[in-house]
Amino acid sequence: MEIHNPKSKRALILGITGQDGSYLSELLISKGYEVHGIIRRSSSFNTERIEHLYHDPHEPHVRLNLHYGDLMDGSSLRAVISQIQPDEIYNLGAQSHVRVSFDQPVYTVEVDALGTLILLEAIRDAAPRARFYQAGSSEMFGKVREVPQREATPFYPRSPYGCAKVFAHWQTLNYREAYGMFACNGILFNHESPRRGETFVTRKITRAATRIKEGLQEAVYLGNLEARRDWGYAGDYVEAMWLMLQQEEAQDYVVATGETHSVREFVEETFGLLDLDWKKYVRIDPRYFRPTEVDLLLGDSTKARTLLGWQLTVSFRELIKMMVEADRKLARRERLVKESSAMIQGA
Ligand code: NAP
Ligand code: GDD
């Protein structure tokens, strides 16, 4: 199987400011890529996760090139793609929160479904030979038709987000078949890290438990503790994205650990690492339940392991430990800031 020489290849990342965008940027820079990213203008900075790449004191030249744009704005995408002529384009941009997609279904579908189509059209027009990665999701399996879920498992989405991702999946596949574009769908199961957004359940739990430990918070309010997810480490998952675009043929792949755990187990493990009895601190709030839930996700990534040679490096317990350690540091800093400002006020 031929792996293309990545030296001086050019990549464009949509969603570069998100969890996966930051890990993927690191990976591509380490492989010698010239990395470009689309960012949205916001009233305050939203580039915290990639600051260290942009302003690296050891590498004074700019390694990241950022361009303003939006998945809903085809003309800006077309202009950037036409100017850069990327070898690889990764679409990680999305309204990615499932619960929020029930509150903002139209917006979610616009960005996640229509936005992908707008991007595919811009690529077809401006750089049809670019290799394309679409960030598909295990949420597409929804009310699962078989266990474990693999590439051939039928979709049964249970949220506006899931429906939007199914549309984007089929559009990507269709552009591959209709126009011969090198377009791949990664069907990624949940992946987490210390850079995970704070309203996703894993980070919400590690953030809350470490703040409770440092005396900064008294309790945490959660929803369904019985839902089961196949949780992996984001750093491992971006490697799979890259591998998909290095193959001779464009295909779709499931990326998962092959283990499933409940939210309750995640809570127990996190609080246990901090010597806290979770039952004293976890409260249930109906606000965090979803109108329709995905009860069980468990992926079979045999194809990715066999054809891509993809491997996991971080286990479920190691992942939680990594997140707890990072959030403990954050909570300690927060406590110190709070204590010193109290001292200044008392002086
Ligand atoms: P994330 O942290 O929520 O990041 C989402 C990114 O999309 C952010 O950079 C965000 O920019 C950008 N974005 C949002 N709306 C946009 C728009 N209209 N135009 C351009 N960019 C836009 O998500 P993630 O966890 O890194 O996930 C990356 C992708 O993988 C998403 O498509 C997600 O749906 C999918 N996925 C994630 C998982 C997972 O477990 N993490 C699993 C399967 C699939 P701002 O910073 O400006 O908001
Ligand atoms: N967010 C959140 N907050 N979820 C909670 C809470 C809570 O307080 N309490 C329980 N949960 C349950 C949810 O009901 C769900 O069953 C599970 O925890 C995981 O929720 P999230 O962490 O929000 O992730 P998700 O599985 O809905 O979606 C994530 O994974 C998908 C892949 O399957 C996102 O990253 C999606 O973008 C991604 O596609």
Side-chain angles (χ1 to χ4, degrees):
M1 189 181 307
E2 188 203 345
I3 301 278
H4 296 263
N5 179 2
K7 268 233 154 78
S8 77
K9 272 195 195 169
R10 224 168 287 142
L12 175 65
I13 304 175
L14 283 290
I16 195 164
T17 55
Q19 171 189 255
D20 291 6
S22 69
Y23 284 107
L24 181 64
S25 302
E26 278 172 11
L27 179 77
L28 296 179
I29 285 171
S30 76
K31 290 183 183 298
Y33 276 66
E34 180 184 314
V35 177
H36 295 256
I38 299 278
I39 56 165
R40 303 192 291 169
R41 191 266 158 184
S42 68
S43 62
S44 53
F45 289 118
N46 63 352
T47 49
E48 196 188 335
R49 292 185 179 104
I50 49 172
E51 288 293 326
H52 63 294
L53 297 172
Y54 200 65
H55 302 291
D56 185 338
H58 305 296
E59 298 269 357
H61 59 279
V62 176
R63 303 189 300 162
L64 267 191
N65 304 268
L66 301 177
H67 311 261
Y68 282 112
D70 194 299
L71 277 165
M72 296 313 297
D73 178 0
S75 62
S76 68
L77 297 179
R78 201 172 265 101
V80 172
I81 293 168
S82 170
Q83 180 208 331
I84 302 170
Q85 287 297 314
D87 300 289
E88 296 171 12
I89 300 176
Y90 296 85
N91 181 24
L92 314 181
Q95 189 303 92
S96 72
H97 203 285
V98 174
R99 178 67 192 85
V100 171
S101 80
F102 287 98
D103 300 328
Q104 289 197 281
V106 175
Y107 172 73
T108 302
V109 169
E110 279 173 355
V111 175
D112 298 9
L114 190 57
T116 304
L117 182 56
I118 290 171
L119 176 59
L120 281 164
E121 273 295 278
I123 298 170
R124 184 164 82 92
D125 190 32
R129 289 228 277 274
R131 293 182 168 213
F132 176 69
Y133 172 84
Q134 166 58 18
S137 164
S138 50
E139 186 71 14
M140 300 188 295
F141 295 124
K143 190 171 175 181
V144 297
R145 305 287 84 194
E146 66 176 340
V147 181
Q149 297 85 52
R150 58 203 168 98
E151 289 78 7
T153 304
F155 297 139
Y156 194 139
R158 297 268 278 174
S159 61
Y161 169 84
C163 294
K165 286 286 183 180
V166 170
F167 175 92
H169 174 96
W170 285 109
Q171 284 296 355
T172 300
L173 202 150
N174 194 238
Y175 271 58
R176 180 163 85 214
E177 293 182 352
Y179 307 117
M181 281 169 51
F182 193 106
C184 300
N185 288 293
I187 307 175
L188 270 52
F189 283 61
N190 300 50
H191 44 278
E192 321 292 314
S193 73
R195 297 184 202 164
R196 185 56 145 151
E198 294 187 17
T199 60
F200 296 97
V201 79
T202 54
R203 186 80 200 287
K204 185 170 167 183
I205 295 166
T206 57
R207 194 78 179 102
T210 49
R211 292 187 87 248
I212 289 168
K213 186 74 182 176
E214 293 297 325
L216 293 162
Q217 185 172 330
E218 285 180 0
V220 57
Y221 291 83
L222 297 174
N224 180 10
L225 299 187
E226 306 316 323
R228 301 184 73 84
R229 291 289 181 274
D230 179 328
W231 278 298
Y233 168 54
D236 286 341
Y237 286 48
V238 299
E239 182 91 31
M241 297 174 188
W242 175 77
L243 282 167
M244 285 178 214
L245 298 199
Q246 311 314 309
Q247 307 307 307
E248 278 173 20
E249 196 192 333
Q251 295 192 46
D252 307 325
Y253 299 85
V254 159
V255 181
T257 70
E259 262 184 47
T260 187
H261 298 273
S262 65
V263 174
R264 182 187 297 273
E265 280 172 72
F266 198 103
V267 167
E268 282 169 359
E269 182 72 20
T270 303
F271 280 77
L273 281 173
L274 295 160
D275 293 320
L276 294 172
D277 176 3
W278 70 272
K279 293 196 181 97
K280 287 190 188 155
Y281 305 102
V282 174
R283 318 243 198 284
I284 301 301
D285 185 335
R287 212 170 4 147
Y288 298 113
F289 283 79
R290 292 156 188 199
T292 37
E293 175 65 284
V294 171
D295 298 317
L296 163 71
L297 290 175
L298 174 62
D300 174 357
S301 58
T302 306
K303 181 178 174 186
R305 288 171 203 257
T306 315
L307 294 190
L308 303 178
W310 177 73
Q311 287 178 335
L312 283 175
T313 66
V314 178
S315 70
F316 177 67
R317 292 208 157 69
E318 287 165 348
L319 171 65
I320 299 181
K321 193 159 173 277
M322 179 199 296
M323 292 175 72
V324 166
E325 281 172 4
D327 278 337
R328 185 84 193 266
K329 277 191 196 141
L330 202 61
R332 280 201 181 114
R333 274 207 300 275
E334 240 181 286
R335 180 171 55 75
L336 289 175
V337 169
K338 204 175 156 191
E339 283 169 3
S340 43
S341 71
M343 269 166 59
I344 291 164
Q345 274 168 15

